[in-house]
Amino acid sequence: MLAADLNELVTRVGPGTEMGGLLRRYWLPALLSSEVPEPDGPPVRVRMLGEDLVAFRDSTGQVGLIDAYCPHRRAPMFFGRNEEAGLRCVYHGWKFDVGGNCVDLPSEPPGSLFRQKINIDAYMTWEGGGLVWAYLGPRAEAPPPPDYEWLRSPATHRRVSKTLEHANYLQALEGGIDTAHSSFVHNNEIDNPSRLKSIDVHPKLEVEKTAYGFRYAGIRRIGDNRQYVRAYHFLMPAMQMRAAMLDKEGEPRKLPSLRGHIWVPVDDEWTLVYNWICSIDPEKEISDEVWRKHEQAAGRGEDDYIPGSYRLKRNLSNDYFVDRELQRTKTYTGITGLNTQDYAVQEGMGPIVDRSKEHLGSSDKAIIAARRMLLEALRTIKEGRPPAGSDPATSRGVRPAEAIIKESERWQDAMADLLEARW
Amino acid sequence: MLAADLNELVTRVGPGTEMGGLLRRYWLPALLSSEVPEPDGPPVRVRMLGEDLVAFRDSTGQVGLIDAYCPHRRAPMFFGRNEEAGLRCVYHGWKFDVGGNCVDLPSEPPGSLFRQKINIDAYMTWEGGGLVWAYLGPRAEAPPPPDYEWLRSPATHRRVSKTLEHANYLQALEGGIDTAHSSFVHNNEIDNPSRLKSIDVHPKLEVEKTAYGFRYAGIRRIGDNRQYVRAYHFLMPAMQMRAAMLDKEGEPRKLPSLRGHIWVPVDDEWTLVYNWICSIDPEKEISDEVWRKHEQAAGRGEDDYIPGSYRLKRNLSNDYFVDRELQRTKTYTGITGLNTQDYAVQEGMGPIVDRSKEHLGSSDKAIIAARRMLLEALRTIKEGRPPAGSDPATSRGVRPAEAIIKESERWQDAMADLLEARW
Amino acid sequence: MLAADLNELVTRVGPGTEMGGLLRRYWLPALLSSEVPEPDGPPVRVRMLGEDLVAFRDSTGQVGLIDAYCPHRRAPMFFGRNEEAGLRCVYHGWKFDVGGNCVDLPSEPPGSLFRQKINIDAYMTWEGGGLVWAYLGPRAEAPPPPDYEWLRSPATHRRVSKTLEHANYLQALEGGIDTAHSSFVHNNEIDNPSRLKSIDVHPKLEVEKTAYGFRYAGIRRIGDNRQYVRAYHFLMPAMQMRAAMLDKEGEPRKLPSLRGHIWVPVDDEWTLVYNWICSIDPEKEISDEVWRKHEQAAGRGEDDYIPGSYRLKRNLSNDYFVDRELQRTKTYTGITGLNTQDYAVQEGMGPIVDRSKEHLGSSDKAIIAARRMLLEALRTIKEGRPPAGSDPATSRGVRPAEAIIKESERWQDAMADLLEARW
């Protein structure tokens, strides 16, 4: 349960809000690198943290992220001309470079000093992992760019996609870090008793605070004195990492991988979910075919999107194409697509869930921990210190893991080796 | 005329509002029984009085009406699994019976007492007349379920449908109890001088207060010292009953029937209109054919609805397919469908009409009486007494009627026999 | 730059607002005469200055402009029957003439005096130039109807159209009176160096205040000691006149014409733009063919509108069908249609631009002058005097012009003859 005023505090992210201020102290994905594939190509709209921006790749290959509106009379920079080393507003030809400097102002007479007084708001950007990351906070406080293991892996070994979700970032994040729900909403074989997550549907949850957020494990007793452990990381402010080492019945996967989501607020009611995957086996690339199947299983196949958008065809307006007969006989939800199932429960709460009406149980430990950590970080920055996890050094060595170990073992010890970054 | 503050008072129906409090003291239709045809079938969304609910028929055939959101983390119960004697949330498997009790909570370890602290908001339901009725008020104050004559008639002799209207319930109700408008908006033969309602277009209105609301008559002088009397009932808080005994030129109908509407607020701006008909001749059932034609004439034929909804294709966004040539030459409105004509004038006012700008005449007596009665009932419940008409005993013997009588007769006497319930 | 409170002041136009009060002191176009082509034809919805109205042409040919809602119970007059000398509400048959008088009230008994107490709000109308003009202010203050030159030209020599724009009237107006933007946003031949407006892209702007608003000139040096002068008028409160005498390379046009826009607020966020053209050569009519091509070039050809509306198919929701390849190689914007290019920059700012964030340069002189004049007129009416330009005598002799003159000449002198109305 979260009182109404705290719920407001943690969910509002626009300019001038407290949580918006905290999120602006981290590097966050702003768009896929592939959205601005070529120098001097068309600019792209970006909306994040309630701000309307425009991204463009300049002649040198650098990505600019600037105010969506020209400082002259607020014409839309989206219709701008991406010319030699700058984006030019089509209204009166004012041109700005990636740093926000006005580099040409042809509507004023030659010799005018007016241009020197003009600039457009521009944010710091950095590219890595197929993403353009942006820092929207005070420049003086900017930490070094991210250094997660998957960002260091070869480009051949990782992939990333993005999906638009109609829910507040925290609601999406809480669904993502929840481990207990896999036993229910993602149970696509209601008649399969050997499915690991169906053997024990009330996993024990252990949470350990760290410098970057916390690591936590969902522990299921699966018989024969064995326990099935999924060890995750929550990385401030809004990332989860998990591992896919075993198949659903506990056998080793052919292509073991790390996976994760980053939940970036578009505004208070919409979230862009960045989905990444990274092979941990140097011998095994993520091929086009593997990636295509992975995304299809998640419900994010190429044909699952509304063309020209990052919104899924299966959404709340059409009840996610729920098939009640399928639900009755084969799968828990009757909804196809693993993440589509997540969206159904997350978006189905309404865009900003009323946490004053919830009743949390022992399965919600990680969620409670994440909320506390976000609230604590609000205090940290008020005290003038950098918030937890903003320093990339805290998370560079982190790796999630998944294993079956003996009941007598502590996962922290038995899986220590697996939990270290190798890329 | 109703001052702006009184207009607010009578039109706002959500939780915590005064009028919402009054409406919650009555049994109201929540859905058609046919929407939940089978035990353990798919749950159905219900929105009434500004509350989001979910209905489901459990294994025993009882209909549950519960909060649309799981008390755990507010996942949508609509996607729930309707299993043995309860609806189960797909997020973490929490299961609730029709009484709102949590009967299974599998995400907590066995032995946990947590389940006993959990329940979901659930409302009382009762089925009758092809409808699932619900009582959304304080349980201690719940009156016995409705006992209108048409609810007692054989199922073969009655039918019911529902239509979604984009207008506040009171606006729809006022349109329904208005008798004078039949001479105009429903005049589909502008060249037929022998149409009873065209002979006298300014009916005299008589209103008599009763324990359940009021009965009232629209009296038209039709020549030869005769008067054409339509005697109606307004039943608190939002039902009208009328009779169809004569055809439009005054001849006895082959299938005399009672008819009525119940206007149930979805929220402040939308209303579900339940339309019922009931044959009063024990020898004459309402056949599929009769019902089909009846609904078509009303503009509610099967093909008149937007598929998968209770909204009509002919609506304000397309000007109800008004045909100006038809209007010029044949019908008063150029709009097809008797109730579609009603919606055109009711929805055309905007969702909540500004009653401070109206000018009521002598044709509006019944409307004024209904408003007064609703306002009076607000006072009644404040004084701790049950509101008018909540006791079904007050309305069980009621029947509307329609007849041509002598001008010298009082309708109360001449039609006394017709005005008594026989089912 | 305009402080936030002043921006509010100049952009809000509904009943009761200051700027709404000022705009109501002028005659403004309410609809095209062709929208109500025949006596007793169907009524038409009109929304202007935030008020919902209905227009109808009565049996005598006069156009009534009345409240959209019947004073009885606020039924929509749009569905009314336009009968002999009045519009009749279909709900209960109340009928009103163009003056707003209730001329029939059939739902009350004969002899009732009720009708004499009833009227509907009605505004003054006047027809001219293919438009129905309306005066929405206090009747006692109504000025004589407009008397612009183009209204006096033969009907064969002028045309008018209208387009719905999703932007505040002032934003549209400011885009219209801006002369510098032609060098950029309307440059459809980025490779043509002999285009007059491309030779000098920072025209000198001169503004001269007048009794009707101001006249202003955009002056471009084009070499050989010549200057290219476009002399415009801004006519209070929201009209621009410009001349098309020369083609884009400075040669005389075959059909020299006057052109203009009137920006009429629908409400705060939408504007109806009336576009007119008027031949100044008595020998040359505006033929259907000329008009068709003119509208097509503007992006307002018959096929450019969403059927049944005044909204263009190319709009913000589809990025005006921008063609980035065309933009890269041929035209400045990649958007087709001269006025569509205007809408892209005007609507792209959002419906009400935040003027507190703008940075005006020397090219914005006319825009600054228009804002000042509107603010000044607010003070004028507060002092009980008629606002600038409301008297048609101030603008009857006005004509815009375009010419190439010597650099040594003053345009006011050299073009004096051209600047006088001849119709």
Side-chain angles (χ1 to χ4, degrees), chain B residues 117-131:
Chain B
K117 295 191 284 183
I118 301 299
N119 68 295
I120 195 165
D121 287 341
Y123 290 119
M124 295 170 70
T125 63
W126 173 84
E127 279 191 272
L131 294 173

Side-chain angles (χ1 to χ4, degrees), chain A residues 182-207:
Chain A
S182 316
S183 298
F184 305 97
V185 78
H186 298 319
N187 185 353
N188 290 337
E189 294 171 275
I190 54 180
D191 290 330
N192 179 357
S194 66
R195 183 178 173 267
L196 276 189
K197 287 165 197 157
S198 298
I199 296 172
D200 180 357
V201 298
H202 37 74
K204 194 170 79 170
L205 252 183
E206 291 184 1
V207 172

Side-chain angles (χ1 to χ4, degrees), chain A residues 338-352:
Chain A
L338 283 167
N339 270 185
T340 317
Q341 293 160 358
D342 289 315
Y343 297 150
V345 289
Q346 293 165 15
E347 297 180 326
M349 296 170 184
I352 303 183

